[in-house]
């Protein structure tokens, strides 16, 4: 029998769900399906006060049981927003049923190790109470005595600590959430790196035969998910699966926060409502006539916009999967006609090769070789040899790392040479379609690379 949460609390009206009440000027698209919620400026934000938060979302539901939560989360099909897109209810069930004498641990990962991502930091700065609601509900259901928020951004730390003080003063939640600083580095946000760091070890991935759901922080069953996922949990468990799934298509029909960066007039964080198309999103972002979009961040895949109808599809998980795309870490990188996407990808590959934790041979030695091969292709220095080296090295590296880092790089490389096969052909004869100076629009400012791209 399904015993789930019904929408006993009035659901938020209007198009915004996670971004309800953010201080930035909201501007829904004409269809109302794309909401520009914030630019990327580092200026201090106004945290939504607790009273406003409760007025917007309602109080935390009472009498919630694990059975009700699991049924509701399963019916909602809520998937993780940090990259892997794993169904949240399965994670919860795995930790809830883990055989262990140790009390479970809950971790919300807001480290955003993808340098271009800002959605989680901005969510924490603007609406920390929604994330804390999700953490306290899940920790309460699991009987967890320890909960952690793993965050890199200093202002997000401050916002979360202030929100927790406010909750304690108002008697909203007894749970103490420890904020742990995430160090710099691309792999510091990887699952096992987070678990090691929380246990006061180095923030480096660790190979283990055990899943963290059975043996995570100091051997305790551990539920780790992205901060946006916890915010989504907070609204699903308040308003029910039916409300969450209204409209749109695909299995996970909830809204999504996306960081949109690159060659657009309005970079920022957007909330995507069910049914929103890529064309609509690019229009809202003032992208003009872009050349290509990297969907899902550095481990994502390219959409070549030179092909007809390439943006006219809804951005839902099902449609993306049919096109071999995924939201990944919730980042869309737009490249214009000034820059060659192959040069851009070669520069990202070089950056990622430099981010290896240096613990596994195939990753430590193989990624620099893949990066060199990509540079040959990008710079038209010896495209034949570059392609040959990719074919030779990739099988020696793929699935041989202690974490997903090398496989993510390989996915980007394969997508690049596949989506831009014509461009690669041009490079063979020393030509390139880029009209500009190859200034990278997707590398983090200050990154040092030699793969032909000029860094801002
Ligand atoms: S695969 Fe690379 S990043 Fe991952 S643990 Fe091994 S060396 Fe570190």
């Amino acid at each position: 029998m399904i015993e789930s949460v019904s929408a006993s609390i009035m659901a938020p009206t209007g198009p915004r769900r996670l971004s309800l009440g953010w201080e930035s000027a909201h501007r829904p698209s004409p269809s109302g399906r794309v909401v520009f919620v914030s630019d990327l400026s580092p200026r201090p934000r106004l945290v939504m006060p607790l009273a406003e938060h409760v007025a917007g979302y309602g109080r935390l539901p009472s009498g919630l049981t694990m059975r009700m939560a699991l049924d509701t989360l399963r019916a909602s099909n809520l998937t993780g927003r940090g990259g892997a897109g794993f169904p949240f209810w399965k994670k919860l069930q795995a930790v809830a049923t883990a055989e262990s004498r140790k009390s479970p641990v809950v971790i919300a990962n807001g480290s955003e190790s993808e340098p271009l991502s800002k959605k989680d930091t901005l969510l924490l700065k603007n609406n920390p109470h929604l994330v804390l609601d999700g953490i306290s509900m899940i920790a309460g259901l699991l009987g967890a005595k320890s909960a952690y928020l793993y965050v890199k951004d200093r202002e997000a730390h401050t916002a979360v600590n202030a929100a927790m003080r406010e909750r304690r003063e108002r008697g909203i939640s007894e749970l103490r959430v420890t904020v742990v600083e995430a160090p710099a580095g691309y792999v510091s946000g990887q699952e096992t790196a987070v678990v090691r760091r929380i246990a006061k070890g180095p923030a480096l991935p660790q190979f283990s035969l055990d899943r963290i759901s059975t043996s995570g922080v100091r051997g305790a069953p551990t539920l780790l998910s992205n901060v946006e996922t916890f915010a989504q949990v907070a609204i699903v468990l308040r308003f029910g699966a039916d409300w969450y799934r209204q409209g749109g298509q695909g299995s996970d029909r909830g809204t999504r926060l996306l960081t949109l960066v690159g060659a657009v007039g309005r970079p920022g964080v957007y909330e995507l409502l069910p049914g929103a198309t890529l064309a609509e999103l690019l229009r809202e972002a003032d992208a003009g006539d872009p050349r290509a979009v990297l969907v899902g961040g550095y481990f994502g895949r390219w959409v070549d916009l030179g092909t007809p109808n390439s943006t006219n599809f809804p951005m839902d998980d099902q449609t993306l999967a049919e096109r071999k795309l995924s939201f990944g870490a919730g980042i869309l990188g737009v490249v214009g006609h000034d820059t060659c996407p192959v040069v851009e990808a070669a520069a990202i590959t070089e950056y990622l090769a430099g981010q290896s934790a240096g613990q596994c041979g195939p990753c430590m030695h193989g990624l620099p070789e893949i990066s060199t091969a990509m540079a040959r292709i990008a710079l038209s220095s010896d495209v034949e040899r570059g392609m040959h080296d990719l074919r030779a090295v990739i099988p020696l590296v793929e699935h041989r790392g202690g974490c997903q880092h090398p496989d993510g790089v390989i996915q980007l490389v394969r997508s690049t040479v596949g989506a831009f096969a014509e461009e690669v052909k041009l490079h063979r004869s020393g030509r390139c379609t880029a009209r500009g100076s190859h200034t990278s629009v997707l590398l983090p400012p200050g990154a040092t690379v030699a793969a032909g791209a000029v860094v801002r």
Side-chain angles (χ1 to χ4, degrees):
M1 191 182 89
I2 291 184
E3 188 195 359
S4 59
V5 174
S6 62
S8 54
I9 303 166
M10 194 185 294
T13 54
R16 296 178 297 277
R17 294 180 178 182
L18 291 192
S19 58
L20 188 75
W22 287 26
E23 52 105 15
S24 333
H26 297 283
R27 219 175 56 85
S29 63
S31 72
R33 293 184 301 215
V34 177
V35 184
F36 173 69
V37 291
S38 178
D39 61 28
L40 301 175
S41 77
R43 68 175 187 272
R45 309 256 148 197
L46 288 178
V47 178
M48 190 196 279
L50 185 57
E52 218 175 283
H53 167 75
V54 174
Y57 293 100
R59 294 184 180 283
L60 289 174
S62 55
L64 191 66
T65 64
M66 179 59 86
R67 186 72 270 149
M68 286 163 77
L70 282 171
D71 286 343
T72 304
L73 291 163
R74 181 168 38 202
S76 73
N77 264 321
L78 169 66
T79 50
R81 300 297 200 252
F86 195 69
F88 185 81
W89 73 270
K90 287 190 181 174
K91 264 190 189 180
L92 179 58
Q93 180 167 268
V95 177
T97 56
E99 286 180 14
S100 173
R101 290 197 183 148
K102 298 191 172 178
S103 169
V105 173
V106 173
I107 306 171
N109 186 359
S111 59
E112 291 196 307
S113 50
E114 278 262 353
L116 300 179
S117 180
K118 289 285 176 286
K119 71 176 180 75
D120 295 331
T121 299
L122 286 167
L123 175 62
L124 288 169
K125 280 186 189 176
N126 286 277
N127 203 349
H129 286 295
L130 199 58
V131 179
L132 292 170
D133 282 352
I135 298 172
S136 21
M137 277 193 244
I138 294 303
L141 288 164
L142 288 168
K145 295 203 176 77
S146 312
Y148 298 90
L149 236 164
Y150 185 67
V151 188
K152 204 170 283 169
D153 185 273
R154 293 300 314 165
E155 283 177 14
H157 275 224
T158 309
V160 168
N161 282 326
M164 284 196 295
R165 238 185 347 264
E166 209 183 355
R167 290 164 87 88
R168 274 198 303 276
E169 283 164 13
R170 299 283 195 85
I172 292 276
S173 173
E174 300 281 294
L175 181 74
R176 190 166 195 94
V177 181
T178 308
V179 181
V180 175
E181 187 171 341
Y186 195 84
V187 297
S188 68
Q190 200 271 346
E191 186 177 86
T192 53
V194 179
V195 165
R196 284 177 91 181
R197 178 71 182 147
I198 299 285
K200 301 202 185 318
L204 296 174
Q206 182 171 41
F207 180 74
S208 166
L209 290 174
D210 292 322
R211 290 183 185 279
I212 65 162
S213 55
T214 53
S215 180
V217 177
R218 298 186 191 91
T222 300
L223 186 147
L224 184 149
S225 210
N226 164 266
V227 290
E228 184 192 338
T229 317
F230 280 99
Q232 296 282 10
V233 166
I235 58 174
V236 172
L237 293 183
R238 271 190 172 92
F239 307 121
D242 290 345
W243 175 81
Y244 180 79
R245 288 179 57 77
Q246 61 190 318
Q249 59 179 41
S251 53
D252 183 346
R253 297 183 182 179
T255 70
R256 282 173 184 277
L257 294 180
L258 288 181
T259 312
L260 187 73
V261 291
V264 296
R266 199 176 301 117
V269 173
Y270 289 76
E271 186 162 12
L272 226 59
L273 275 78
T277 63
L278 177 58
E280 224 176 316
L281 177 60
L282 292 175
R283 217 169 22 247
E284 281 308 298
D286 199 7
D289 171 32
R291 165 84 168 88
V293 181
L294 182 60
V295 179
Y298 285 173
F299 289 174
R301 290 191 170 106
W302 290 99
V303 177
D304 179 3
L305 303 183
T307 53
N309 276 333
S310 52
T311 59
N312 220 356
F313 61 88
M315 298 280 285
D316 58 69
D317 56 351
Q318 191 176 301
T319 309
L320 291 192
E322 284 163 10
R323 291 169 173 257
K324 307 226 175 329
L325 302 169
S326 90
F327 285 108
I331 302 165
L332 254 70
V334 180
V335 171
H337 289 272
D338 281 354
T339 316
C340 172
V342 180
V343 174
E344 190 76 64
I348 296 172
T349 305
E350 186 179 338
Y351 166 79
L352 290 172
Q355 294 294 310
S356 164
Q359 303 182 127
C360 317
C363 177
M364 192 168 53
H365 305 297
L367 291 189
E369 286 188 42
I370 290 174
S371 167
T372 302
M374 281 295 282
R376 288 188 202 286
I377 298 165
L379 300 174
S380 299
S381 60
D382 190 342
V383 176
E384 286 310 327
R385 181 167 167 201
M387 292 299 288
H388 170 273
D389 289 352
L390 284 185
R391 282 191 293 274
V393 177
I394 284 176
L396 304 177
V397 176
E398 195 168 26
H399 309 312
R400 293 183 183 209
C403 75
Q404 294 302 310
H405 189 69
D407 292 357
V409 178
I410 289 168
Q411 175 156 289
L412 171 73
V413 167
R414 280 214 181 100
S415 171
T416 306
V417 295
F420 305 110
E422 290 303 313
E423 185 71 39
V424 171
K425 251 191 221 168
L426 272 184
H427 285 212
R428 278 196 168 96
S429 55
R431 290 177 295 153
C432 177
T433 55
R435 298 178 200 143
S437 59
H438 289 318
T439 300
S440 168
V441 289
L442 300 183
L443 279 173
T448 314
V449 292
V454 179
V455 181
R456 287 164 291 161

